[in-house]
Structures are given as structure tokens and as C-alpha cells.
């Protein structure tokens, strides 16, 4: 899979997750088991409305302890608030997952892929953009050559004379000897 394809897949997945988060935040809250609705009107409000304006839950003013309605009122408000917190927590988690998949994951995968490619190439593989393995003129000893394995120089080779037939590209930009 190319990096471009990965980026597109991650972007689509992130967009789907954000859409799910929005749906979770705007679908009205369920009615509490004690009766009524989690909203100021005849229907329940959305978790986002209840989360950002908790007094809108619709339970009315808090009854006095002597009225006998305080326990029912507390149960009603508690159920609506728990439903709100659960839904908004889920929506927030989906948004964070979308950010992780859409923004953080592609560069991390790209970096790991680059490091893995460089490590799997091994010492005999040519450096990216570097000259291929071969005999090259030794810049420290005129007339002598040294072996370049694509990543490192071999030790001096006193018996190997310089010849253009031995070097894949003697005039190309040779790697610098250490």
C-alpha cells in the first residue's frame, strides 16, 4: 500500500468516526426510567445541549425535602446527566480516535516504513540516492581503489589497481571516504 493510499484510507476512516461522534452527540437522550423526558419541552434534548447547559434537563425547580418528591427528582436528574455524560464521553472518544487515525497515524507509519526499508536493506544495499556498490578511486591514495558496498567503505586495497572497467561510474559523484 502506498503512502497516498494509506492517507486516503485514514482520512475516510477519520471522517466516518467524526460523523459517528456527531450522531452520538445530536441524537436525543432516552427518556429516564422514572418518567418524563431529558429536556425542557415535550421531547428529550440532545446530549450536546444537556452537556453545555445542564440546567436545561427539564426536571423543573428542585423540590423541597418535605415534599417527598426530592428522591424522584434526584433520580430523574441523575439518569439524564449520566446519559448525557456517557454519550458525550463516547463522542469525545470517537473524535480523539479520528484525530489519531487521520492526523497521527499516517506520518508514524511513513516514518516506520522508511526506517524499516533502510534497516532491511542491510549493509550491502546502496544508500538511498547514493552510488551503487563497486570499486572507486581512493581519494586518500592516488592510483588506488577502495570497495564501496553501498553503505560503507572497505579497508584499503593495495593490490587492486584503478581501472575504469572495475568501477561502475568512476566519474560520478563518488562517496567520500571516511
Amino acid at each position: 500500500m502506498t503512502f497516498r493510499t494509506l492517507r486516503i484510507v485514514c482520512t475516510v476512516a477519520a471522517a466516518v468516526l467524526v460523523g459517528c461522534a456527531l450522531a452520538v452527540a445530536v441524537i436525543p437522550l432516552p427518556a429516564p426510567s422514572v418518567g418524563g423526558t431529558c429536556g425542557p419541552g415535550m421531547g428529550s434534548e440532545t446530549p450536546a445541549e444537556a452537556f453545555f447547559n445542564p440546567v436545561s434537563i427539564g426536571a423543573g425547580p428542585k423540590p423541597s425535602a418535605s415534599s417527598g418528591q426530592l428522591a424522584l427528582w434526584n433520580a430523574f436528574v441523575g439518569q439524564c446527566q449520566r446519559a448525557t455524560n456517557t454519550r458525550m464521553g463516547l463522542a469525545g472518544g470517537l473524535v480523539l480516535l479520528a484525530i489519531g487515525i487521520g492526523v497521527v497515524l499516517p506520518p508514524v507509519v511513513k516514518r516506520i516504513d522508511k526506517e524499516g526499508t533502510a534497516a532491511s536493506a542491510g549493509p550491502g544495499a546502496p544508500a538511498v540516492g547514493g552510488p551503487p556498490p563497486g570499486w572507486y578511486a581512493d581519494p586518500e591514495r592516488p592510483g588506488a581503489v577502495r570497495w564501496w558496498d553501498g553503505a560503507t567503505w572497505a579497508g584499503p586495497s593495495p593490490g587492486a589497481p584503478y581501472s575504469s572497467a572495475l568501477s561502475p561510474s568512476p566519474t560520478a559523484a563518488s562517496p567520500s571516504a571516511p
Side-chain angles (χ1 to χ4, degrees):
M1 176 183 297
T2 67
F3 179 71
R4 179 180 167 91
T5 304
L6 173 70
R7 187 78 166 147
I8 291 169
V9 168
C10 287
T11 301
V12 169
V16 168
L17 287 169
V18 168
C20 290
L22 287 172
V24 166
V26 299
I27 292 174
L29 292 165
S33 63
V34 295
T37 62
C38 292
M42 297 299 289
S44 286
E45 62 188 353
T46 68
E49 290 171 317
F51 184 77
F52 292 110
N53 187 13
V55 296
S56 71
I57 286 178
K62 186 174 183 176
S64 66
S66 62
S67 72
Q69 297 295 314
L70 185 58
L72 184 62
W73 187 88
N74 283 333
F76 176 86
V77 170
Q79 286 180 16
C80 289
Q81 197 59 55
R82 275 190 300 282
T84 296
N85 294 346
T86 300
R87 291 266 197 96
M88 291 305 289
L90 177 60
L94 289 171
V95 168
L96 289 175
L97 184 60
I99 290 169
I101 289 174
V103 177
V104 176
L105 183 65
V108 169
V109 169
K110 186 175 184 178
R111 181 177 177 189
I112 290 170
D113 185 47
K114 277 185 178 179
E115 290 172 358
T117 301
S120 67
V128 177
W135 291 101
Y136 291 90
D138 187 341
E140 296 174 3
R141 295 183 7 233
V145 292
R146 288 179 78 178
W147 177 256
W148 170 255
D149 68 5
T152 59
W153 287 102
S157 301
Y162 177 77
S163 165
S164 62
L166 294 174
S167 176
S169 178
T171 59
S174 301
S176 300

